[in-house]
Amino acid sequence: MIKRVAFIFYVIMFGIFFSGCGTAIVLSEYQPSPIQKSKYIPSKEEIKNSELPKIIIMDIDDNAFKIANSASLGKTLSTTINQELSLAKSVKIVKRLNDANNNSTLAEEIKAAELALEVGSDVGEADYVISGDISNTTYDYKFNEGYYYTVETKEGKKRVYNPPSIDYSSCVSGTVKVLVLPELVEVKSISFDGCSSNSHEARSPRDARRSDDSLVREAGAYAIQRAINPLKNFFAKKGYIYEMRSDEDEIIVKTNLGREYGAREGEKVEIFAIEDSYNLLEDEMKKDEVKIGNGVISNQIGSDFSWVIVDELYDAKIIKAGDYIKIRYKRGYYW
């Protein structure tokens, strides 16, 4: 277990070290470049709007599985979702609901959202509900008899005894859902699954632990990480582009996505534009969000701005003022 933790630490530190490589820029080395306005450039109100979507997080339902319920797995997974979304700074979490107050508080939020629609203004209502359920939780153990094996040493062959042991494993799977208020329509569903294991020496099968809430929660922690980045991507805040510079080899663009809303050096971003597309079935033009390239946030970041290094543009696309970026969160080494 110690070796595994050490390896994870090495991978994380390796990633942190290299995530900063190539992202340090000196603005004075780049010359201002002319930038066209997008046909669908956002209004001043859209650009200045700093309102984050307001979220209610409900405990993941673990009542269908005694193993999960005993380990308070639903509360643990909801706490992880809360912490991760808070760190991303792209949502405002207004409430955490547990089994005791789920129904009554959710009913109040639905009424508030309906009232906001009627009066056409913010009344402090939530915009989304995050809920979910555990679809399976397992806990197993297996006794292994002791045995001898032979190793080669400088002195010759040597018999080594491997003592009896018990292996434990736990696996968790489920689904996280994003519902929009007041209709409670599901707009996003994300499956998650993960396992964890450990072992210890033992004299007989009677030494087995019949339950291990800590191992179940550890399996849940690995599992829920598969849902975290898709959730972050769903709520990722737009950073509108309004300035461009270049040198001989590179283009950089300035956006209004700053540190206050999650911009960090080394974060990968996707670049989008709004373009016209013809809908043959309806015989009319539509506005589509089109991904036109990729980039990475540089070291030039403020509370309300960031400079992005453009890595790639598709099909000779041209970046325009009013195009925008979104941070693209990807799974890490273990999920």
Side-chain angles (χ1 to χ4, degrees):
M1 185 66 183
I2 294 175
K3 289 182 178 179
R4 182 180 183 186
V5 171
F7 178 71
I8 294 173
F9 176 78
Y10 172 78
V11 170
I12 292 172
M13 293 306 296
F14 182 86
I16 291 173
F17 177 79
F18 282 98
S19 67
C21 294
T23 58
I25 61 173
V26 179
L27 288 178
S28 60
E29 295 179 356
Y30 294 81
Q31 299 301 313
S33 297
I35 184 169
Q36 302 176 34
K37 284 186 178 181
S38 167
K39 177 181 177 180
Y40 297 107
I41 194 164
S43 65
K44 290 182 179 180
E45 289 71 24
E46 288 177 288
I47 295 173
K48 291 180 179 179
N49 181 19
S50 60
E51 286 296 315
L52 297 177
K54 296 185 286 295
I55 309 298
I56 292 175
I57 298 179
M58 301 173 66
D59 282 347
I60 303 297
D61 185 358
D62 59 14
N63 292 320
F65 296 91
K66 185 177 179 180
I67 297 171
N69 189 259
S70 174
S72 299
L73 192 57
K75 295 182 186 296
T76 301
L77 301 189
S78 296
T79 298
T80 300
I81 292 172
N82 189 318
Q83 293 171 340
E84 293 284 351
L85 289 182
S86 295
L87 287 173
K89 299 181 179 181
S90 57
V91 301
K92 180 180 180 182
I93 298 170
V94 295
K95 286 186 178 74
R96 275 286 309 279
L97 305 185
N98 54 43
D99 292 339
N101 63 5
N102 267 356
N103 294 333
S104 60
T105 309
L106 187 56
E108 292 173 4
E109 288 296 331
I110 292 173
K111 289 181 180 179
E114 290 172 340
L115 177 61
L117 289 175
E118 289 179 14
V119 300
S121 63
D122 190 337
V123 295
E125 80 287 355
D127 303 301
Y128 296 94
V129 174
I130 295 178
S131 67
D133 56 81
I134 304 295
S135 58
N136 196 27
T137 305
T138 62
Y139 175 74
D140 300 296
Y141 53 89
K142 175 186 176 184
F143 177 75
N144 305 300
E145 297 284 355
Y147 60 91
Y148 284 94
Y149 62 97
T150 303
V151 296
E152 294 284 350
T153 68
K154 292 180 179 179
E155 291 77 24
K157 293 182 179 180
K158 180 180 179 182
R159 292 188 76 205
V160 178
Y161 181 64
N162 192 74
S165 64
I166 299 177
D167 296 333
Y168 301 87
S169 66
S170 177
C171 293
V172 173
S173 60
T175 305
V176 172
K177 299 176 182 179
V178 180
L179 312 173
V180 65
L181 286 169
E183 301 92 344
L184 288 181
V185 173
E186 182 181 309
V187 291
K188 184 73 173 178
S189 179
I190 307 163
S191 298
F192 60 85
D193 62 88
C195 299
S196 189
S197 61
N198 60 36
S199 64
H200 66 73
E201 292 184 9
R203 291 170 296 180
S204 75
R206 291 191 299 272
D207 293 333
R209 297 190 295 263
R210 306 301 173 179
S211 64
D212 188 340
D213 290 348
S214 178
L215 184 63
V216 172
R217 286 192 290 269
E218 186 177 278
Y222 283 119
I224 199 63
Q225 286 297 330
R226 293 185 177 272
I228 293 301
N229 284 343
L231 276 175
K232 288 180 180 179
N233 288 329
F234 180 82
F235 291 112
K237 189 173 174 61
K238 294 178 181 178
Y240 289 103
I241 295 169
Y242 60 94
E243 186 179 338
M244 182 163 62
R245 298 187 185 186
S246 63
D247 63 9
E248 293 181 357
D249 305 311
E250 203 165 55
I251 295 174
I252 61 174
V253 292
K254 191 175 186 180
T255 83
N256 69 341
L257 183 69
R259 191 177 292 111
E260 184 179 355
Y261 292 122
R264 294 185 299 180
E265 181 179 0
E267 290 283 13
K268 300 291 186 180
V269 303
E270 295 178 333
I271 305 169
F272 295 90
I274 300 297
E275 296 183 354
D276 290 322
S277 67
Y278 177 67
N279 186 317
L280 181 62
L281 295 177
E282 299 179 11
D283 189 27
E284 63 179 9
M285 297 298 294
K286 297 281 189 178
K287 292 192 298 182
D288 285 341
E289 179 184 76
V290 179
K291 181 181 173 183
I292 63 172
N294 297 296
V296 61
I297 297 177
S298 74
N299 62 325
Q300 299 296 323
I301 309 172
S303 61
D304 59 355
F305 75 89
S306 61
W307 281 92
V308 171
I309 301 168
V310 178
D311 287 335
E312 179 182 17
L313 288 174
Y314 304 147
D315 303 323
K317 294 286 187 180
I318 299 173
I319 294 176
K320 299 178 181 179
D323 292 345
Y324 51 88
I325 65 163
K326 289 182 182 179
I327 295 175
R328 182 63 178 176
Y329 299 96
K330 294 186 178 179
R331 288 181 179 177
Y333 185 83
Y334 282 96
W335 36 76

